[in-house]
Amino acid sequence: MKNALNKLKIALSLVAECCYYAGCRSAARFFVIPPRRVPMPTERKHREEIVRYGRMLHERCFVAAMDGNLSVRLNKNRILVTPTCLSKGAMRPADMVIVDMDGQRVSGRRHVTSEIGMHLLIYRVRPDVQAIVHAHPPTATGFAAAGIPLTEPLVCEVVMGLGCIPLARYGTPGTSELAQTLEPYVPNYDAILMSNHGVVTYGDTLEHAYMKMETVEHFAQIALVTHLLGRQQPLKEGEIEKLLLARSKYFGAKLAASMPLPRAPQKVS
């Protein structure tokens, strides 16, 4: 009797689920038993996240044409990354490529981005990093092209959440030279300006890596205004120390984001 009831319950659940996904919501409710919730596989979730944040980069003009790339660490040996020659605003989950830690494609139809070496370097140096975003936000990239790092402590939220953004020397995209220019900064910073190129940010999730990219561009816009006004008023040493204490309270040891002590206020020419 018990087995028969269990079989009936399973059958009713399947009927209700079929009605639900066929659009017959009222019929599904008739069977009382709600449809089963099937958890989304992790890889599928990451693919959809990359599509979503790639579209956000494109909509905010942080990338143009086929620029930029995003990646997520699937496990210690596999990286899910955007392919080359594809607009970040027009990607589909199936477009992503899986590579090993040597940058060799192990799954996917499209070609691997030529800047995969940059991603692999960051994953090797920072075991805590699970996702990376590389883009060309206009204002921040303007600072990178002008050879100006974003290291002045001008905004308390940036000191708290990101520290400062150093400037790495120029490295040719698609070559090992690019990764070599970033290597000195990766252990201690969560965002780096790349001379005459763009910005790379990374974090424990793709959402956090993307948010850091937004913070870099927002801070660059604020810094640009201070340059246009001809004056900067950095936070004082004591004020920075208080912010760093607060940051350790909220973020613990999860945030690298070094913050150098400020120089004396100076007029910007």
Side-chain angles (χ1 to χ4, degrees):
M1 183 69 177
K2 185 176 180 180
N3 288 337
L5 287 174
N6 285 337
K7 289 180 181 179
L8 178 60
K9 184 177 180 180
I10 293 171
L12 290 173
S13 296
L14 291 173
V15 172
E17 190 169 342
C18 290
C19 292
Y20 183 87
Y21 288 111
C24 302
R25 303 295 195 269
S26 58
R29 286 194 294 270
F30 174 78
F31 290 97
V32 179
I33 303 171
R36 291 173 297 173
R37 293 183 178 179
V38 181
M40 182 183 295
T42 301
E43 183 185 320
R44 177 184 166 192
K45 176 183 175 183
H46 289 322
R47 287 174 180 271
E48 293 184 354
E49 283 183 338
I50 289 176
V51 169
R52 180 167 67 254
Y53 289 111
R55 186 177 296 118
M56 290 171 68
L57 287 173
H58 190 264
E59 289 173 348
R60 286 160 176 74
C61 297
F62 286 6
V63 290
M66 300 175 186
D67 297 348
N69 32 76
L70 306 88
S71 70
V72 172
R73 193 200 300 261
L74 294 177
N75 56 49
K76 65 179 182 179
N77 298 314
R78 295 291 184 266
I79 305 299
L80 182 68
V81 64
T82 52
T84 190
C85 298
L86 183 63
S87 167
K88 302 308 166 291
M91 296 187 299
R92 299 174 300 172
D95 291 323
M96 307 312 152
V97 181
I98 297 178
V99 302
D100 60 22
M101 291 306 291
D102 293 321
Q104 298 300 310
R105 183 179 63 181
V106 297
S107 178
R109 297 177 294 105
R110 294 182 175 273
H111 295 293
V112 182
T113 172
S114 62
E115 294 179 323
I116 188 62
M118 170 178 64
H119 292 252
L120 296 176
L121 165 74
I122 294 170
Y123 286 126
R124 290 193 187 103
V125 175
R126 292 280 299 273
D128 59 306
V129 168
Q130 300 299 317
I132 299 170
V133 175
H134 165 54
H136 306 155
T139 312
T141 302
F143 273 84
I148 304 174
L150 293 168
T151 53
E152 290 295 336
L154 300 173
V155 181
C156 57
E157 285 83 3
V158 177
V159 173
M160 280 276 289
L162 200 55
C164 65
I165 304 99
L167 175 68
R169 62 184 176 83
Y170 178 74
T172 306
T175 69
S176 60
E177 181 185 18
L178 177 61
Q180 292 170 5
T181 65
L182 298 175
E183 191 168 6
Y185 302 98
V186 171
N188 298 313
Y189 298 92
D190 292 338
I192 305 172
L193 296 185
M194 306 157 72
S195 290
N196 304 98
H197 187 167
V199 183
V200 62
T201 58
Y202 32 93
D204 58 345
T205 66
L206 187 59
E207 178 186 18
H208 290 167
Y210 170 81
M211 291 302 175
K212 289 174 185 178
M213 183 65 69
E214 280 200 355
T215 298
V216 170
E217 177 64 4
H218 186 61
F219 181 43
Q221 292 171 0
I222 293 170
L224 177 59
V225 171
T226 67
H227 280 263
L228 294 174
L229 293 173
R231 184 172 180 271
Q232 290 185 331
Q233 184 174 290
L235 293 164
K236 295 180 173 61
E237 181 177 341
E239 295 165 337
I240 293 176
E241 290 176 351
K242 291 178 183 179
L243 290 172
L244 295 181
L245 285 174
R247 184 171 74 179
S248 63
K249 176 182 177 181
Y250 289 109
F251 296 102
K254 294 181 180 179
L255 201 66
S258 294
M259 189 71 237
L261 296 177
R263 299 191 300 271
Q266 59 182 349
K267 183 175 180 179
V268 181
S269 58

